[in-house]
PDB file of all heavy atoms in Angstrom:
ATOM      1  N   ALA A  62    -153.747  46.129  95.818  1.00 98.00           N
ATOM      2  CA  ALA A  62    -154.685  46.690  94.835  1.00 98.00           C
ATOM      3  C   ALA A  62    -155.975  47.153  95.505  1.00 98.00           C
ATOM      4  O   ALA A  62    -157.079  46.711  95.159  1.00 98.00           O
ATOM      5  CB  ALA A  62    -154.979  45.640  93.764  1.00 98.00           C
ATOM      6  N   PRO A  63    -155.833  48.075  96.500  1.00 98.00           N
ATOM      7  CA  PRO A  63    -157.030  48.495  97.241  1.00 98.00           C
ATOM      8  C   PRO A  63    -157.981  49.354  96.420  1.00 98.00           C
ATOM      9  O   PRO A  63    -159.132  49.520  96.782  1.00 98.00           O
ATOM     10  CB  PRO A  63    -156.434  49.310  98.402  1.00 98.00           C
ATOM     11  CG  PRO A  63    -155.138  49.824  97.876  1.00 98.00           C
ATOM     12  CD  PRO A  63    -154.623  48.763  96.952  1.00 98.00           C
ATOM     13  N   TYR A  64    -157.514  49.889  95.288  1.00 98.00           N
ATOM     14  CA  TYR A  64    -158.357  50.804  94.508  1.00 98.00           C
ATOM     15  C   TYR A  64    -159.115  50.075  93.404  1.00 98.00           C
ATOM     16  O   TYR A  64    -160.299  50.316  93.188  1.00 98.00           O
ATOM     17  CB  TYR A  64    -157.504  51.954  93.945  1.00 98.00           C
ATOM     18  CG  TYR A  64    -156.748  52.627  95.063  1.00 98.00           C
ATOM     19  CD1 TYR A  64    -155.376  52.435  95.218  1.00 98.00           C
ATOM     20  CD2 TYR A  64    -157.425  53.381  96.021  1.00 98.00           C
ATOM     21  CE1 TYR A  64    -154.694  53.002  96.303  1.00 98.00           C
ATOM     22  CE2 TYR A  64    -156.757  53.937  97.100  1.00 98.00           C
ATOM     23  CZ  TYR A  64    -155.393  53.746  97.237  1.00 98.00           C
ATOM     24  OH  TYR A  64    -154.739  54.291  98.314  1.00 98.00           O
ATOM     25  N   SER A  65    -158.445  49.168  92.711  1.00 98.00           N
ATOM     26  CA  SER A  65    -159.124  48.454  91.618  1.00 98.00           C
ATOM     27  C   SER A  65    -159.699  47.118  92.087  1.00 98.00           C
ATOM     28  O   SER A  65    -160.599  46.573  91.442  1.00 98.00           O
ATOM     29  CB  SER A  65    -158.141  48.179  90.468  1.00 98.00           C
ATOM     30  OG  SER A  65    -157.206  47.187  90.840  1.00 98.00           O
ATOM     31  N   GLN A  66    -159.175  46.590  93.176  1.00 97.00           N
ATOM     32  CA  GLN A  66    -159.553  45.237  93.630  1.00 97.00           C
ATOM     33  C   GLN A  66    -159.288  44.204  92.525  1.00 97.00           C
ATOM     34  O   GLN A  66    -159.958  43.186  92.436  1.00 97.00           O
ATOM     35  CB  GLN A  66    -161.035  45.177  94.058  1.00 97.00           C
ATOM     36  CG  GLN A  66    -161.389  46.111  95.181  1.00 97.00           C
ATOM     37  CD  GLN A  66    -160.641  45.789  96.478  1.00 97.00           C
ATOM     38  OE1 GLN A  66    -160.268  44.656  96.745  1.00 97.00           O
ATOM     39  NE2 GLN A  66    -160.395  46.815  97.288  1.00 97.00           N
ATOM     40  N   PHE A  67    -158.344  44.528  91.665  1.00 97.00           N
ATOM     41  CA  PHE A  67    -157.979  43.634  90.570  1.00 97.00           C
ATOM     42  C   PHE A  67    -156.550  43.165  90.842  1.00 97.00           C
ATOM     43  O   PHE A  67    -155.604  43.950  90.808  1.00 97.00           O
ATOM     44  CB  PHE A  67    -158.068  44.376  89.232  1.00 97.00           C
ATOM     45  CG  PHE A  67    -158.001  43.473  88.037  1.00 97.00           C
ATOM     46  CD1 PHE A  67    -159.155  42.865  87.542  1.00 97.00           C
ATOM     47  CD2 PHE A  67    -156.794  43.214  87.409  1.00 97.00           C
ATOM     48  CE1 PHE A  67    -159.099  42.022  86.436  1.00 97.00           C
ATOM     49  CE2 PHE A  67    -156.728  42.371  86.303  1.00 97.00           C
ATOM     50  CZ  PHE A  67    -157.878  41.780  85.819  1.00 97.00           C
ATOM     51  N   LEU A  68    -156.415  41.881  91.131  1.00 97.00           N
ATOM     52  CA  LEU A  68    -155.138  41.348  91.599  1.00 97.00           C
ATOM     53  C   LEU A  68    -154.399  40.625  90.471  1.00 97.00           C
ATOM     54  O   LEU A  68    -154.981  39.769  89.790  1.00 97.00           O
ATOM     55  CB  LEU A  68    -155.362  40.369  92.752  1.00 97.00           C
ATOM     56  CG  LEU A  68    -155.587  40.937  94.154  1.00 97.00           C
ATOM     57  CD1 LEU A  68    -156.743  41.917  94.197  1.00 97.00           C
ATOM     58  CD2 LEU A  68    -155.820  39.814  95.150  1.00 97.00           C
ATOM     59  N   VAL A  69    -153.137  40.998  90.307  1.00 98.00           N
ATOM     60  CA  VAL A  69    -152.335  40.371  89.245  1.00 98.00           C
ATOM     61  C   VAL A  69    -151.023  39.869  89.846  1.00 98.00           C
ATOM     62  O   VAL A  69    -150.388  40.557  90.645  1.00 98.00           O
ATOM     63  CB  VAL A  69    -152.026  41.376  88.108  1.00 98.00           C
ATOM     64  CG1 VAL A  69    -151.304  40.680  86.960  1.00 98.00           C
ATOM     65  CG2 VAL A  69    -153.318  42.031  87.590  1.00 98.00           C
ATOM     66  N   GLY A  70    -150.645  38.658  89.448  1.00 98.00           N
ATOM     67  CA  GLY A  70    -149.367  38.089  89.891  1.00 98.00           C
ATOM     68  C   GLY A  70    -148.513  37.776  88.679  1.00 98.00           C
ATOM     69  O   GLY A  70    -149.036  37.510  87.586  1.00 98.00           O
ATOM     70  N   CYS A  71    -147.218  37.806  88.867  1.00 98.00           N
ATOM     71  CA  CYS A  71    -146.307  37.550  87.745  1.00 98.00           C
ATOM     72  C   CYS A  71    -145.126  36.728  88.258  1.00 98.00           C
ATOM     73  O   CYS A  71    -144.656  36.944  89.385  1.00 98.00           O
ATOM     74  CB  CYS A  71    -145.831  38.896  87.198  1.00 98.00           C
ATOM     75  SG  CYS A  71    -144.579  38.765  85.911  1.00 98.00           S
ATOM     76  N   SER A  72    -144.663  35.785  87.446  1.00 98.00           N
ATOM     77  CA  SER A  72    -143.436  35.063  87.793  1.00 98.00           C
ATOM     78  C   SER A  72    -142.520  35.067  86.588  1.00 98.00           C
ATOM     79  O   SER A  72    -142.984  35.075  85.440  1.00 98.00           O
ATOM     80  CB  SER A  72    -143.751  33.640  88.251  1.00 98.00           C
ATOM     81  OG  SER A  72    -144.413  32.944  87.231  1.00 98.00           O
ATOM     82  N   ILE A  73    -141.237  35.071  86.869  1.00 98.00           N
ATOM     83  CA  ILE A  73    -140.225  35.153  85.802  1.00 98.00           C
ATOM     84  C   ILE A  73    -139.188  34.055  85.993  1.00 98.00           C
ATOM     85  O   ILE A  73    -138.628  33.899  87.084  1.00 98.00           O
ATOM     86  CB  ILE A  73    -139.544  36.546  85.817  1.00 98.00           C
ATOM     87  CG1 ILE A  73    -140.571  37.619  85.429  1.00 98.00           C
ATOM     88  CG2 ILE A  73    -138.338  36.570  84.863  1.00 98.00           C
ATOM     89  CD1 ILE A  73    -140.029  39.027  85.327  1.00 98.00           C
ATOM     90  N   LEU A  74    -138.962  33.304  84.921  1.00 98.00           N
ATOM     91  CA  LEU A  74    -137.940  32.243  84.936  1.00 98.00           C
ATOM     92  C   LEU A  74    -136.667  32.768  84.277  1.00 98.00           C
ATOM     93  O   LEU A  74    -136.693  33.239  83.126  1.00 98.00           O
ATOM     94  CB  LEU A  74    -138.447  31.016  84.163  1.00 98.00           C
ATOM     95  CG  LEU A  74    -137.436  29.897  83.938  1.00 98.00           C
ATOM     96  CD1 LEU A  74    -137.098  29.169  85.243  1.00 98.00           C
ATOM     97  CD2 LEU A  74    -137.962  28.894  82.893  1.00 98.00           C
ATOM     98  N   LEU A  75    -135.551  32.666  85.000  1.00 98.00           N
ATOM     99  CA  LEU A  75    -134.255  33.082  84.453  1.00 98.00           C
ATOM    100  C   LEU A  75    -133.523  31.890  83.854  1.00 98.00           C
ATOM    101  O   LEU A  75    -133.864  30.739  84.127  1.00 98.00           O
ATOM    102  CB  LEU A  75    -133.409  33.714  85.559  1.00 98.00           C
ATOM    103  CG  LEU A  75    -133.957  34.999  86.174  1.00 98.00           C
ATOM    104  CD1 LEU A  75    -133.019  35.523  87.256  1.00 98.00           C
ATOM    105  CD2 LEU A  75    -134.167  36.065  85.096  1.00 98.00           C
ATOM    106  N   GLU A  76    -132.471  32.176  83.104  1.00 98.00           N
ATOM    107  CA  GLU A  76    -131.742  31.091  82.424  1.00 98.00           C
ATOM    108  C   GLU A  76    -131.030  30.158  83.408  1.00 98.00           C
ATOM    109  O   GLU A  76    -130.729  29.019  83.064  1.00 98.00           O
ATOM    110  CB  GLU A  76    -130.743  31.648  81.407  1.00 98.00           C
ATOM    111  CG  GLU A  76    -129.670  32.526  82.000  1.00 98.00           C
ATOM    112  CD  GLU A  76    -128.699  33.040  80.941  1.00 98.00           C
ATOM    113  OE1 GLU A  76    -128.586  32.420  79.875  1.00 98.00           O
ATOM    114  OE2 GLU A  76    -128.047  34.065  81.206  1.00 98.00           O
ATOM    115  N   ASN A  77    -130.797  30.618  84.639  1.00 98.00           N
ATOM    116  CA  ASN A  77    -130.165  29.731  85.621  1.00 98.00           C
ATOM    117  C   ASN A  77    -131.193  28.883  86.375  1.00 98.00           C
ATOM    118  O   ASN A  77    -130.855  28.176  87.313  1.00 98.00           O
ATOM    119  CB  ASN A  77    -129.322  30.550  86.619  1.00 98.00           C
ATOM    120  CG  ASN A  77    -130.172  31.417  87.532  1.00 98.00           C
ATOM    121  OD1 ASN A  77    -131.390  31.508  87.358  1.00 98.00           O
ATOM    122  ND2 ASN A  77    -129.541  32.071  88.489  1.00 98.00           N
ATOM    123  N   GLY A  78    -132.458  28.996  85.967  1.00 98.00           N
ATOM    124  CA  GLY A  78    -133.506  28.161  86.567  1.00 98.00           C
ATOM    125  C   GLY A  78    -134.231  28.807  87.730  1.00 98.00           C
ATOM    126  O   GLY A  78    -135.238  28.286  88.213  1.00 98.00           O
TER     127      GLY A  78
END
Side-chain angles (χ1 to χ4, degrees):
Y64 306 106
S65 71
Q66 300 297 332
F67 192 86
L68 279 56
V69 185
C71 174
S72 60
I73 293 183
L74 173 70
L75 296 180
E76 61 180 338
N77 68 354

